[in-house]
């Protein structure tokens, strides 16, 4: 029987020292996560980045748009600990404020991809038959499109308005193109869950499709799906930086790690700081989300215990 069922949960044997009380799979997973250094390291980095995105004024009082050419490539000072870029902008302020757009794009594009992947995967896995074949072939077609090429074409088309900063275009682009893996994982989880005994029992008792899906199958299929979305969030943050680096993503007055890296590339021999610091923050953020997803996957997958 599926260990995550909400109706008749399977309890894991209590470990030594637990007083003989049995634990659910979720409690057992949390017990493993609490002892994982990778999980806590990723959580600390993500919490810091989220705080930076929500309240950048807690980290710096400088304005990232306050640029003075007289400070061009000046070294670190007490008020600008990362120095200044080629326009005389505070690199530290731009790095801190760059987290906001990266998190916004990453979260909302992941939500769009999550909704699409959930709908397609759930429908294909539960109903099967010709609908499963049709949706599976559609997923194969989407996977056949080179992601970067498709993102460049779609983002450029959606951001044709010169007054737009490109945030909405990048969100839609990454959401529309990034749902395929999530759909496959959801389909696989649904196929496994719907063959369990508790689903068969509920069907024999007269439960309709809606009750089977939302009461029995979906709750027991979400754990691997959430893990995939966590990793996808990190990938979308990196994808936004890539598009912005290429000049297709964010633009205008938007402050982005990708834009900062792109602007500093031509001056790396003169001043490496404006290139290094946004790259470090971007790499740490993406790695933190991927590590968090891996840690949660390892904790919830019984085969890895």
């Amino acid at each position: 029987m599926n260990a995550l069922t909400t109706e008749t949960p399977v309890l894991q044997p209590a470990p030594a020292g637990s007083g003989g009380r049995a634990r659910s799979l979720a409690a057992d997973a949390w017990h493993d996560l609490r002892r994982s250094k990778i999980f806590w390291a990723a959580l600390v980095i993500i919490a810091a980045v989220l705080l930076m995105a929500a309240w950048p004024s807690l980290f710096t009082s400088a304005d990232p748009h306050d640029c003075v050419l007289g400070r061009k490539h000046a070294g670190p000072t007490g008020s600008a600990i990362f120095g200044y870029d080629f326009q005389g902008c505070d690199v530290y302020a731009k790095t801190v404020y760059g987290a906001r757009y990266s998190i916004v794009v990453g979260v909302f594009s992941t939500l769009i991809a999550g909704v699409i992947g959930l709908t397609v995967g759930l429908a294909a896995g539960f109903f099967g038959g010709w609908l499963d074949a049709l949706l599976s072939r559609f997923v194969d077609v989407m996977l056949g499109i080179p992601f970067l090429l498709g993102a460049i074409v779609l983002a450029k088309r959606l951001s044709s308005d010169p007054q737009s900063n490109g945030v909405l275009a990048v969100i839609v682009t990454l959401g529309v193109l990034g749902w395929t893996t999530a759909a496959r994982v959801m389909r696989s989880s649904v196929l496994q869950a719907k063959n369990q005994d508790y689903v068969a029992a509920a069907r024999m008792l007269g439960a309709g499709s809606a009750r089977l899906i939302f009461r029995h199958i979906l709750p027991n299929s979400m754990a691997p799906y959430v893990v995939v979305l966590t990793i996808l969030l990190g990938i979308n943050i990196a994808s936004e930086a890539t598009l912005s680096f290429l000049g297709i993503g964010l633009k205008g007055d938007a402050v982005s790690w990708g834009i900062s890296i792109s602007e500093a590339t031509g001056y790396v021999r003169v001043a490496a700081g404006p290139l290094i610091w946004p790259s470090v923050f971007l790499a740490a953020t993406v790695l933190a989300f991927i590590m968090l997803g891996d840690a949660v996957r390892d904790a919830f997958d019984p085969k890895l215990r």
Side-chain angles (χ1 to χ4, degrees):
M1 183 177 292
N2 192 316
L4 291 178
T5 175
T6 57
E7 294 294 313
T8 54
V10 175
L11 301 180
Q12 302 294 328
S18 64
R21 291 177 299 176
R23 296 188 310 210
S24 66
L25 180 60
D28 211 32
W30 171 239
H31 177 74
D32 289 346
L33 286 175
R34 285 187 301 175
R35 298 183 299 173
S36 173
K37 296 180 180 179
I38 294 178
F39 170 75
W40 287 112
L43 206 59
V44 168
I45 295 174
I46 292 173
V49 173
L50 292 177
L51 189 62
M52 192 182 302
W55 295 285
S57 58
L58 293 177
F59 296 85
T60 178
S61 59
D63 183 356
H65 298 291
D66 181 19
C67 305
V68 179
L69 287 176
R71 302 180 304 201
K72 178 179 179 180
H73 291 152
T77 64
S79 58
I81 60 176
F82 292 167
Y84 297 91
D85 63 8
F86 76 104
Q87 292 180 320
C89 305
D90 188 338
V91 175
Y92 177 66
K94 291 184 69 175
T95 303
V96 169
Y97 276 85
R100 171 171 294 178
Y101 280 106
S102 295
I103 294 298
V104 167
V105 170
V107 169
F108 283 99
S109 61
T110 302
L111 287 176
I112 293 175
V115 171
I116 298 174
L118 177 66
T119 304
V120 173
L122 188 60
F126 181 77
F127 294 105
W130 66 268
L131 183 60
D132 183 19
L134 179 62
L135 293 177
S136 297
R137 298 297 76 77
F138 180 63
V139 171
D140 292 339
V141 171
M142 292 296 298
L143 287 172
I145 301 175
F147 179 80
L148 184 58
L149 178 60
I152 291 174
V153 173
L154 185 57
K156 192 172 183 63
R157 177 62 178 173
L158 293 176
S159 61
S160 57
D161 184 2
Q163 303 299 325
S164 172
N165 59 8
V167 174
L168 181 59
V170 175
I171 290 175
V172 174
T173 296
L174 298 180
V176 169
L177 296 178
W179 55 270
T180 50
T181 300
R184 283 190 163 185
V185 170
M186 174 53 67
R187 174 183 177 274
S188 177
S189 299
V190 170
L191 286 175
Q192 182 179 5
K194 78 173 187 178
N195 292 323
Q196 299 298 320
D197 293 339
Y198 61 88
V199 175
R203 183 178 286 111
M204 292 178 62
L205 291 174
S209 297
R211 180 174 177 82
L212 289 175
I213 291 174
F214 295 107
R215 181 66 176 174
H216 301 281
I217 294 178
L218 190 57
N220 296 289
S221 305
M222 288 302 295
Y225 190 68
V226 170
V227 172
V228 170
L229 293 185
T230 303
I231 298 175
L232 180 61
L233 178 54
I235 295 174
N236 283 341
I237 292 175
S239 299
E240 177 274 316
T242 301
L243 292 176
S244 298
F245 177 83
L246 295 174
I248 308 298
L250 305 189
K251 56 185 179 180
D253 61 348
V255 181
S256 165
W257 290 332
I259 295 177
S260 298
I261 294 172
S262 177
E263 293 176 343
T265 302
Y267 304 92
V268 63
R269 293 186 179 181
V270 180
L275 174 65
I276 292 175
W277 291 114
S279 302
V280 169
F281 276 66
L282 172 63
T285 303
V286 174
L287 183 61
F289 279 106
I290 293 176
M291 290 193 317
L292 178 65
D294 286 341
V296 175
R297 180 198 61 192
D298 294 344
F300 274 94
D301 192 347
K303 297 179 181 178
L304 300 177
R305 292 185 179 278

